[in-house]
Amino acid sequence: MYLKRIELQGFKSFPEKIKLEFNKGITAVVGPNGSGKSNIADAVRWVLGEKSAKNLRGNKMEDVIFNGTANRKPLGFAEVSLVMDNSDKKLNIDFSEVTVTRRVYRSGESDYIMNGTKCRAKDILELFMDTGVGKEGYSIVGQGRIDEILSTKSEDRRHLFEEAAGIVKYRTRCAEASNKLDKERDNLVRINDIIDELEKQVGPLEIQAEKAKKYIVLADRMKLVKINIFVRDAVKFENEIKEIEKQIQILDSDIETENKNEKKLNDKKIEIKNKISELEKELEAVAENIGNKRSEREQYENDIKLCEQSISHLEENIERISKERESGSRAIDEKEKIAAEAKTEIDAKKAELQQKKKAYEDKMLVFSELSSQVSEREDLLNKYNSDVIAQMNKATDVKNEISKAEAMLSQLNIRKVQAEENISGLRVQSEERNAAISEAAKEMERAEKEYRLNTENIDKMTEQYNNLLTNADKARERQASVNKAIQEKNSRLRILSELEKSYEGYYEGVKAVLACRDSKNSDFKGICGAVGEVINLESKYETAIEVALGSAVQNIIARTEEDVKKAINYLKKTNKGRATFLPMTAVRPKTLGSEKYNIIKENGVIGIAKELISYSQEYENVMSFLLERVIVAENIDSAVALAGKTKYSYKIVTLEGELINVGGSMTGGSMRRKTASVFSRGREISELREELKSLYEEQASTNADVEKISEICENLDYKINEAKEELQDIAIRKTEASAKIDQAREYAEDITLRLNDAEKEISELELTIKNGIEAKSKLELSLNEINDEINDLNEKLNEFQSLIQSDRDIREASNEEISAMRVELNQLENDIYTLNSDVERLNGEIETVRAALTEGEENISQLNSEIDKKQNEMVELRNKTENVKLEYEKLFDTQEELYKNKSDTSGSLDELEESIKKQFETKTALEKELDRLELRKTNVDEKSRTLYDSMWEEYEITYVTARAAERLELSDTELKNEEKRLKNQIKALGNVNLNAVEE
Amino acid sequence: MMEKQFNEQFAVISKNFSSTFAEMFGGGVAELKLSDDKDILNCGIEIAAQPPGKALKNMMALSGGEKALTAIALLFAILKMKPSPFCILDEIEAALDDANVVRYAEYLKNFTDDTQFVVITHRKGTMEAADILYGVTMQEQGISKLVSVKFNERSVI
């Protein structure tokens, strides 16, 4: 199966019928954008049952019909046919060629046609199902649709695969079956609903039953009344119908007679019409005949005119020919005369020619003799001429040689001058070179001296540099030791300061209070500090004072008792231990009075403890309280002595720490120092600071030293390097100088060599010049000889040439004479020839004219006979014209008669038509009446049927049964009133459920 | 029965697709998968494609040309299994480069024994493969005209 052909007509952009033939293989459709290629694909898709106008790139199905352009009207329908070859029976149909056509009209009507018979879209779908062809299949891939195979949802893709797998057939059937199932299911649901509804209505309804009973009674009465009305109405209607039918019968017979009349009239009318048409036909024939005759007559008249014209033409011809003949015979006479004259002239010319020829021959003989003489002499002259030329050639050769020798000499001289110049140049150069050598030697000497000096200088500087380096090392060592000391002292200082800051060595309570003071607690403003803190003293008194103070070192000095109270509270609250306070407002000083001076004067006494220490003046009272009555002695011996003298009334301490208390008790022994005492710490810190200060100074000075030395070192190093560079430069200069000397010497030698060469060349050149001059003089001598010879020969030549010239002149003159004679002869011969040919030509002309004359005669006779013929013809034609005219007139008469006849018949036809019209009117009136009656009958019929139907519907009663029912003796109006009353009563009962009685 | 038939045919298409894909791309791997093995008559069909030298991609991540080429490979895979008597292809190769157009045209020729092709095209490579050329022109506005050239006949002349 394959696609043979597509035929499009009116589809989209193809208004005309177009056939596309396809073969197996690939067919490509190409063209510019918008030319309608895709419409071909759309057409195929459309035929295969595409329902969506959108897929065909339109809005509605009618858009596929050619919609017109500016120059074309829209078409009414579109049709596309696919012709397929089905010889392999792939399509399940018993044809070897299948044509599928779809056609759509603008009205929206659409047909599918398969092999010429209409069919449904479904048939076409089924035909192609599972072949892969079809609007849903994969055989038509639209523009831009290829991607859709991939991009649509994966479920949608199935369709493609199902088509390919060949299961669409089953799937369609499956879908149909499931559709049916759904419908049945719906029906079931509906039936169940109805059953439910009915069940709801079941219930006891006695009231309704009561009502119903009453209703039944009323209804029965109503029925009776209605039946009575019905029977009376029925009888009334029947009578009415009968009457109407009678009338209709009468009318029918009337119409019958009218119809008969009408037919008769119509027959008559047809007869008349036939007659008229016959007459018309006859008239037509006559008119045609008349027309024919007229054209015939015109034809004849034209022919006659034509004949007349040709006769006049022929006559003109005859006249022309006879004129020609006349002039021809005249020309013959003239020409014969000219020919005779020419003949006499020819004879005269011939005699003259004979004479002239003889004279010419004589002259030719003389001329040939003269010519031979001249040629002999010319040979001789030529010989002399060649001699002269040979001599002249020789002279030129010699001259050439002389000029060559001269050129050579001048060349040699120039070379000599050049060589001399060369020598002087070389000499100057040699001198220059020598000067350069001596200069270079001097330079060399200078460089060597400088080199020596520089080397010495460098040695000196190097030594100095080494010394400096050792110095620098020493300075650095010192710097390092200072730095180390600074570091050590600093670390010690740092440790001590930290100890001091944290009040190491004080009791816990004291520490806490002091720490609070340092943290600037406002409650501790009045705390001045521990006793140990506020005292400064020399180190030698340290032990003594410490012992003297004892635990009082840890006492805290405060301004007032209030402050003390706050501090104690704080200690209590925070549970930080205990402390002793010395409020300044409370402590009273102890006085020593005048005894003091006595004691100080004692041997071995150093002084009052209070005066050995230093403190701030505000602590005067406190210090006095603590140390006014303590005496410091040099050693234990002096202390004991003093104690004895003062009767043990003072506390005495020695420098080593022994203590004699008031009353004589003594304390002493070795002192173990756990930590640095409070005093020694403060002192050590200040000492360390002092030391550090001096060490920093030293460090600064050593740093400066080191820097200075390294600077000097650097300077020296730079200088040494400079000197070395200079030394190198000098060495380079030295080598340069020596190279210069060598070069200059070489050059000088070269110059001497070249000098020698040049001198040798000069001597050679001089020799050659001398030889050249000699050769030149010889050549000049021989040239003179040759020139003499040439002069001789030229003289001879001149003589001879004049001789020849005279001979030549004579010859030339005779030659001219001869040629003149020859020209004359030729002229004569020519004349004779021309005359002869003239005569001949004239004879020929005469002959042709004569022939023309005879021909003219013949022509004239021919023309005359033709004229006769034409005249005969004319006579005949005139006769014919006459005949035609007669016939024509006769026909005209017949026509007239026929016209009259026709108008008579037409008059009778008009009359007849008038009567037909009248008859028709009466008939229409009758028919109208009949229609009216029949309408009434149907109306009555309808009314009675309605009555019957309503009776049947309401009471299932027929007319026959009704008649059998009881008759009421009431008038019609009474019956009607009764009915109305009953109706109102029933209405008053309202809704009545008749089933209620049974239920 | 329907299930069995679909299953068998699907397996063939899947195999063909793998080979046509590799031929069209000159390498690479691609396969078709049923999204639900238990409900093969209603489930969707997944396509996984891996052009040579690229990671395995979902169809959405392919470039336009690759997409077209993959779709063409799928079309050929189906045609290979069940040749449709004729096939109308409207510019399906528009997105391909010249080399791929030639490959596509050559491939089309392989199918001409079983399938007749009508291709609408602008590409010279495809035209070269055609036996008959129809030119559609629009000399008069809105009206298409046909011009035809048969290649085989012309070469005989």
Side-chain angles (χ1 to χ4, degrees):
Chain A
M1 167 187 163
Y2 71 94
L3 195 60
K4 264 182 160 175
R5 194 164 64 236
I6 302 178
E7 297 177 8
L8 307 169
Q9 184 173 14
F11 185 81
K12 287 194 160 185
S13 63
F14 293 92
E16 282 153 24
K17 190 159 185 171
I18 276 176
K19 280 186 190 177
L20 284 116
E21 301 273 357
F22 297 107
N23 282 351
K24 287 200 164 187
I26 302 175
T27 304
V29 180
V30 302
N33 292 131
S35 60
K37 300 185 296 299
S38 292
N39 289 344
I40 294 171
D42 289 342
V44 177
R45 202 200 304 275
W46 186 62
V47 176
L48 295 178
E50 180 61 65
K51 285 200 192 84
S52 155
K54 215 171 163 194
N55 280 344
L56 299 171
R57 302 178 296 148
N59 290 327
K60 46 188 194 294
M61 227 2 140
E62 286 84 71
D63 286 350
V64 303
I65 304 169
F66 177 71
N67 212 13
T69 65
N71 302 324
R72 263 180 194 262
K73 277 183 193 162
L75 292 179
F77 74 101
E79 182 185 277
V80 177
S81 303
L82 299 187
V83 181
M84 267 160 294
D85 180 281
N86 190 32
S87 44
D88 54 6
K89 295 282 182 291
K90 260 198 185 164
L91 289 179
N92 190 16
I93 188 169
D94 205 13
F95 288 99
S96 63
E97 192 181 273
V98 182
T99 308
V100 178
T101 306
R102 185 176 182 183
R103 191 185 294 153
V104 71
Y105 296 92
R106 232 171 240 296
S107 56
E109 202 180 323
S110 172
D111 290 332
Y112 288 92
I113 299 162
M114 196 195 298
N115 278 349
T117 48
K118 274 194 186 184
C119 62
R120 295 168 300 166
K122 203 180 155 205
D123 296 332
I124 299 211
L125 281 185
E126 270 171 8
L127 178 68
F128 290 108
M129 202 172 268
D130 287 336
T131 57
V133 178
K135 67 185 178 67
E136 298 279 7
Y138 46 88
S139 64
I140 303 174
V141 182
Q143 196 169 16
R145 294 293 168 89
I146 186 74
D147 289 357
E148 279 178 23
I149 294 183
L150 305 175
S151 60
T152 45
K153 278 186 289 178
S154 65
E155 282 80 7
D156 296 343
R157 250 178 249 144
R158 281 193 64 80
H159 204 94
L160 188 67
F161 287 88
E162 284 180 0
E163 181 82 38
I167 61 167
V168 176
K169 216 179 265 175
Y170 308 122
R171 186 169 278 283
T172 328
R173 278 180 211 160
C174 179
E176 272 170 25
S178 71
N179 253 347
K180 266 183 201 163
L181 266 175
D182 282 349
K183 251 181 221 163
E184 291 306 322
R185 209 168 285 140
D186 284 351
N187 282 345
L188 263 175
V189 169
R190 205 165 303 135
I191 287 165
N192 280 334
D193 283 351
I194 292 168
I195 292 169
D196 281 353
E197 190 62 32
L198 285 175
E199 275 170 357
K200 265 181 209 160
Q201 286 179 0
V202 180
L205 302 161
E206 292 206 4
I207 307 158
Q208 282 186 14
E210 197 75 25
K211 232 183 193 175
K213 275 176 199 156
K214 214 188 261 174
Y215 173 78
I216 288 166
V217 174
L218 284 171
D220 281 346
R221 178 72 187 165
M222 182 78 170
K223 188 180 170 187
L224 195 63
V225 171
K226 271 197 175 166
I227 286 168
N228 270 298
I229 294 172
F230 165 56
V231 171
R232 283 179 200 191
D233 281 356
V235 171
K236 224 191 294 172
F237 285 142
E238 224 167 295
N239 291 340
E240 211 174 323
I241 287 169
K242 264 181 204 154
E243 206 175 308
I244 291 167
E245 270 170 356
K246 224 182 269 165
Q247 279 175 18
I248 287 173
Q249 230 163 352
I250 294 162
L251 271 172
D252 273 347
S253 64
D254 283 359
I255 289 169
E256 193 97 347
T257 46
E258 284 301 322
N259 276 344
K260 266 180 204 158
N261 277 344
E262 193 189 355
K263 211 192 160 198
K264 233 184 271 167
L265 285 170
N266 274 339
D267 284 351
K268 211 171 172 187
K269 187 180 158 191
I270 287 163
E271 207 178 302
I272 291 169
K273 266 190 179 165
N274 282 344
K275 205 171 160 192
I276 289 174
S277 71
E278 242 167 71
L279 279 171
E280 270 170 355
K281 250 184 226 161
E282 242 173 281
L283 257 171
E284 220 168 276
V286 169
E288 203 187 318
N289 238 335
I290 290 171
N292 282 346
K293 291 293 165 198
R294 194 188 291 143
S295 61
E296 210 175 324
R297 204 177 74 187
E298 271 163 18
Q299 183 65 43
Y300 287 143
E301 277 165 359
N302 279 342
D303 282 353
I304 289 167
K305 253 180 221 161
L306 209 69
C307 279
E308 277 168 354
Q309 260 172 23
S310 61
I311 286 169
S312 72
H313 179 67
L314 287 169
E315 277 168 351
E316 266 168 30
N317 269 353
I318 289 169
E319 202 174 326
R320 182 176 52 80
I321 291 168
S322 29
K323 255 183 208 163
E324 272 173 12
R325 276 182 51 155
E326 236 167 80
S327 70
S329 48
R330 226 179 301 151
I332 289 173
D333 289 351
E334 257 169 53
K335 274 175 187 168
E336 274 171 349
K337 213 163 116 196
I338 295 169
E341 274 169 25
K343 265 175 195 160
T344 48
E345 207 177 335
I346 287 168
D347 288 347
K349 293 266 173 181
K350 268 181 183 164
E352 202 184 344
L353 181 72
Q354 209 73 24
Q355 219 179 324
K356 290 255 163 114
K357 256 185 186 167
K358 214 174 167 190
Y360 174 75
E361 271 157 22
D362 289 351
K363 204 86 201 179
M364 274 300 272
L365 217 77
V366 179
F367 178 73
S368 66
E369 263 171 46
L370 220 132
S371 279
S372 62
Q373 198 188 335
V374 169
S375 65
E376 262 169 45
R377 282 195 182 153
E378 274 178 344
D379 284 350
L380 254 174
L381 182 74
N382 282 347
K383 206 183 134 247
Y384 284 136
N385 260 337
S386 63
D387 280 355
V388 169
I389 287 163
Q391 284 302 330
M392 271 178 155
N393 280 347
K394 233 190 221 167
T396 333
D397 284 350
V398 172
K399 264 183 202 159
N400 277 347
E401 253 171 74
I402 289 167
S403 62
K404 227 193 262 170
E406 271 171 355
M408 202 177 74
L409 274 174
S410 70
Q411 194 70 31
L412 283 171
N413 277 329
I414 289 165
R415 262 170 71 192
K416 193 180 147 197
V417 170
Q418 270 176 354
E420 275 163 3
E421 269 171 16
N422 199 6
I423 287 171
S424 64
L426 283 171
R427 278 198 184 117
V428 169
Q429 271 183 14
S430 150
E431 264 163 43
E432 270 172 13
R433 283 300 128 194
N434 284 338
I437 290 171
S438 64
E439 205 179 304
K442 263 184 218 160
E443 170 70 25
M444 177 91 176
E445 223 168 282
R446 237 192 342 259
E448 268 169 3
K449 201 171 158 194
E450 263 176 54
Y451 189 78
R452 238 175 4 250
L453 276 175
N454 233 312
T455 327
E456 277 165 26
N457 204 2
I458 287 168
D459 287 347
K460 239 191 269 170
M461 280 198 286
T462 318
E463 208 185 325
Q464 214 175 344
Y465 182 70
N466 286 340
N467 286 344
L468 273 168
L469 278 182
T470 46
N471 277 355
D473 283 347
K474 274 181 206 159
R476 268 191 210 107
E477 258 167 47
R478 211 169 64 226
Q479 196 183 21
S481 69
V482 169
N483 280 345
K484 200 178 159 198
I486 287 171
Q487 218 169 353
E488 277 168 9
K489 299 284 175 198
N490 258 333
S491 67
R492 174 80 187 148
L493 179 62
R494 207 159 46 241
I495 291 164
L496 286 175
S497 326
E498 258 161 41
L499 286 175
E500 169 113 332
K501 224 170 171 184
S502 60
Y503 301 107
E504 206 55 53
Y506 289 104
Y507 301 142
E508 200 187 352
V510 180
K511 236 193 249 179
V513 171
L514 292 178
C516 279
R517 180 201 59 175
D518 287 351
S519 66
K520 305 270 184 233
N521 193 327
S522 60
D523 285 348
F524 294 85
K525 242 177 354 206
I527 303 297
C528 300
V531 173
E533 263 183 313
V534 301
I535 293 172
N536 286 325
L537 73 174
E538 284 174 64
S539 67
K540 58 182 176 183
Y541 302 126
E542 249 170 41
T543 319
I545 301 297
E546 201 178 340
V547 169
L549 281 170
S551 65
V553 170
Q554 306 251 6
N555 289 359
I556 295 166
I557 302 166
R559 291 198 195 283
T560 61
E561 286 100 323
E562 279 306 307
D563 294 329
V564 173
K565 263 176 15 198
K566 279 180 196 161
I568 287 170
N569 269 339
Y570 169 73
L571 286 175
K572 256 195 229 162
K573 218 161 57 196
T574 53
N575 196 19
K576 287 259 173 77
R578 296 166 65 83
T580 312
F581 295 90
L582 297 172
M584 284 196 281
T585 47
V587 173
R588 296 279 152 253
K590 291 176 181 172
T591 51
L592 205 59
S594 56
E595 309 162 63
K596 189 166 97 181
Y597 303 104
N598 295 331
I599 292 162
I600 288 167
K601 278 174 198 159
E602 282 300 320
N603 212 3
V605 171
I606 291 168
I608 310 297
K610 188 190 129 199
E611 280 159 10
L612 291 174
I613 61 172
S614 61
Y615 46 84
S616 168
Q617 199 50 48
E618 58 179 325
Y619 304 129
E620 178 64 35
N621 282 351
V622 178
M623 289 307 151
S624 160
F625 168 73
L626 288 172
L627 293 173
E628 185 77 74
R629 298 180 69 84
V630 177
I631 297 160
V632 178
E634 229 165 79
N635 49 35
I636 190 150
D637 293 332
S638 50
V640 169
L642 185 64
K645 266 189 196 161
T646 56
K647 295 174 185 164
Y648 302 103
S649 53
Y650 300 105
K651 197 188 242 182
I652 302 168
V653 290
T654 68
L655 289 176
E656 287 182 327
E658 288 88 2
L659 170 67
I660 301 172
N661 286 315
V662 177
S665 69
M666 288 170 73
T667 319
S670 76
M671 300 259 290
R672 237 169 75 208
R673 310 189 75 108
K674 275 183 281 183
T675 52
S677 76
V678 176
F679 301 127
S680 65
R681 194 164 63 206
R683 187 179 45 78
E684 211 177 330
I685 285 170
S686 58
E687 271 171 12
L688 277 170
R689 282 204 178 118
E690 205 74 14
E691 271 173 53
L692 269 171
K693 201 172 156 195
S694 72
L695 273 171
Y696 278 131
E697 269 164 24
E698 203 180 334
Q699 189 190 30
S701 82
T702 47
N703 279 352
D705 278 359
V706 168
E707 216 166 284
K708 208 160 130 198
I709 289 166
S710 54
E711 201 177 299
I712 295 168
C713 264
E714 230 167 83
N715 263 347
L716 256 179
D717 195 32
Y718 179 72
K719 263 185 200 161
I720 290 168
N721 279 340
E722 230 174 29
K724 275 180 184 164
E725 263 168 35
E726 211 179 328
L727 194 66
Q728 222 162 355
D729 283 350
I730 293 163
I732 288 166
R733 257 162 62 203
K734 230 165 79 182
T735 39
E736 268 176 4
S738 82
K740 238 186 228 166
I741 292 169
D742 289 348
Q743 206 188 352
R745 271 190 194 133
E746 225 172 81
Y747 205 66
E749 266 167 40
D750 186 42
I751 288 165
T752 347
L753 275 179
R754 270 158 68 193
L755 259 174
N756 287 346
D757 285 352
E759 272 159 5
K760 217 192 270 172
E761 199 190 351
I762 286 173
S763 61
E764 272 169 23
L765 278 171
E766 274 167 352
L767 200 77
T768 336
I769 289 166
K770 213 170 131 194
N771 288 347
I773 290 167
E774 271 169 28
K776 193 188 151 195
S777 59
K778 256 186 216 164
L779 280 169
E780 274 167 352
L781 252 168
S782 70
L783 179 71
N784 285 343
E785 276 169 28
I786 290 166
N787 278 341
D788 288 348
E789 237 172 280
I790 289 170
N791 284 342
D792 286 354
L793 277 169
N794 275 341
E795 264 169 41
K796 272 186 204 165
L797 253 173
N798 284 342
E799 275 171 38
F800 212 78
Q801 256 171 351
S802 60
L803 248 170
I804 287 173
Q805 197 59 45
S806 69
D807 280 358
R808 271 184 192 153
D809 287 348
I810 296 166
R811 196 180 64 171
E812 202 65 26
S814 69
N815 200 4
E816 261 168 36
E817 242 174 280
I818 288 168
S819 48
M821 281 170 89
R822 204 184 284 147
V823 168
E824 237 174 297
L825 277 174
N826 280 345
Q827 186 64 45
L828 273 173
E829 274 169 0
N830 241 350
D831 282 355
I832 291 167
Y833 179 76
T834 333
L835 284 170
N836 270 334
S837 60
D838 272 357
V839 170
E840 239 165 84
R841 182 178 51 79
L842 282 168
N843 284 340
E845 274 174 11
I846 291 164
E847 209 56 35
T848 20
V849 173
R850 276 202 185 122
L853 281 178
T854 44
E855 203 186 328
E857 213 168 343
E858 272 167 32
N859 273 347
I860 288 169
S861 62
Q862 211 177 316
L863 287 169
N864 276 332
S865 68
E866 237 172 275
I867 289 170
D868 288 345
K869 223 192 319 182
K870 284 280 166 190
Q871 270 164 353
N872 288 342
E873 226 173 282
M874 257 170 75
V875 171
E876 208 177 309
L877 281 167
R878 284 215 176 97
N879 287 342
K880 271 184 191 169
T881 317
E882 207 60 34
N883 287 347
V884 168
K885 214 174 178 180
L886 283 176
E887 273 173 53
Y888 178 78
E889 269 156 20
K890 218 193 280 173
L891 276 170
F892 218 78
D893 290 345
T894 345
Q895 197 188 22
E896 202 77 359
E897 207 176 310
L898 279 170
Y899 269 130
K900 211 173 151 196
N901 212 341
K902 191 190 156 194
S903 69
D904 289 352
T905 328
S906 292
S908 62
L909 182 68
D910 285 347
E911 271 167 44
L912 189 65
E913 261 171 3
E914 192 66 28
S915 60
I916 286 173
K917 206 171 161 191
K918 256 182 225 159
Q919 193 268 335
F920 187 72
E921 269 165 22
T922 35
K923 190 189 151 198
T924 343
L926 284 171
E927 272 171 353
K928 236 183 223 165
E929 181 63 21
L930 182 67
D931 278 352
R932 199 181 53 78
L933 282 172
E934 256 162 13
L935 198 70
R936 225 175 103 199
K937 190 187 152 198
T938 25
N939 259 344
V940 173
D941 228 23
E942 190 67 23
K943 260 188 209 162
S944 82
R945 199 168 302 127
T946 329
L947 201 61
Y948 279 63
D949 284 354
S950 71
M951 286 314 286
W952 178 253
E953 253 169 47
E954 218 167 327
Y955 306 113
E956 292 191 0
I957 208 161
T958 59
Y959 177 63
V960 183
T961 36
R963 275 167 81 112
E966 188 190 349
R967 292 272 170 105
L968 292 171
E969 297 302 320
L970 290 168
S971 73
D972 286 0
T973 33
E974 275 167 342
L975 268 175
K976 287 255 182 229
N977 287 340
E978 177 80 15
E979 191 198 354
K980 214 177 264 172
R981 189 176 55 81
L982 283 170
K983 211 184 249 172
N984 283 339
Q985 276 176 359
I986 289 169
K987 212 178 199 175
L989 280 175
N991 265 343
V992 175
N993 191 349
L994 288 174
N995 290 342
V997 181
E998 286 150 41
E999 280 161 2
Chain B
M1 188 194 75
M2 197 160 141
E3 207 165 297
K4 195 178 144 217
Q5 189 177 352
F6 186 77
N7 228 353
E8 280 169 8
Q9 306 281 47
F10 183 77
V12 177
I13 294 176
S14 184
K15 212 180 104 223
N16 286 347
F17 178 58
S18 297
S19 67
T20 50
F21 183 87
E23 280 175 67
M24 293 307 291
F25 276 88
V29 184
E31 61 174 341
L32 298 174
K33 273 187 291 190
L34 291 169
S35 60
D36 186 356
D37 288 336
K38 283 166 200 154
D39 183 19
I40 61 168
L41 285 182
N42 294 309
C43 69
I45 290 162
E46 307 286 345
I47 301 174
Q50 183 180 18
K54 292 188 180 175
L56 194 69
K57 279 179 184 173
N58 187 345
M59 290 316 300
M60 295 303 119
L62 289 176
S63 80
E66 284 172 337
K67 238 187 247 179
L69 206 55
T70 309
I72 289 168
L74 179 57
L75 184 73
F76 284 159
I78 293 172
L79 282 178
K80 217 178 203 174
M81 185 203 72
K82 183 159 186 205
S84 134
F86 64 85
C87 198
I88 299 177
L89 306 174
D90 193 351
E91 291 190 31
I92 64 169
E93 84 285 34
L96 306 188
D97 59 34
D98 285 340
N100 279 327
V101 166
V102 174
R103 210 161 354 180
Y104 152 80
E106 290 300 319
Y107 222 92
L108 268 190
K109 275 189 180 169
N110 292 342
F111 285 108
T112 50
D113 286 342
D114 294 316
T115 304
Q116 175 193 18
F117 287 102
V118 177
V119 293
I120 295 172
T121 186
H122 285 296
R123 307 296 297 261
K124 291 200 178 62
T126 315
M127 294 180 201
E128 279 164 12
D131 302 311
I132 304 175
L133 265 186
Y134 275 107
V136 181
T137 63
M138 200 167 261
Q139 283 165 330
E140 194 181 334
Q141 197 58 47
I143 289 165
S144 303
K145 285 248 163 68
L146 274 181
V147 190
S148 80
V149 180
K150 275 186 191 169
F151 274 150
N152 288 339
E153 281 180 17
R154 209 175 59 170
S155 61
V156 167
I157 293 160

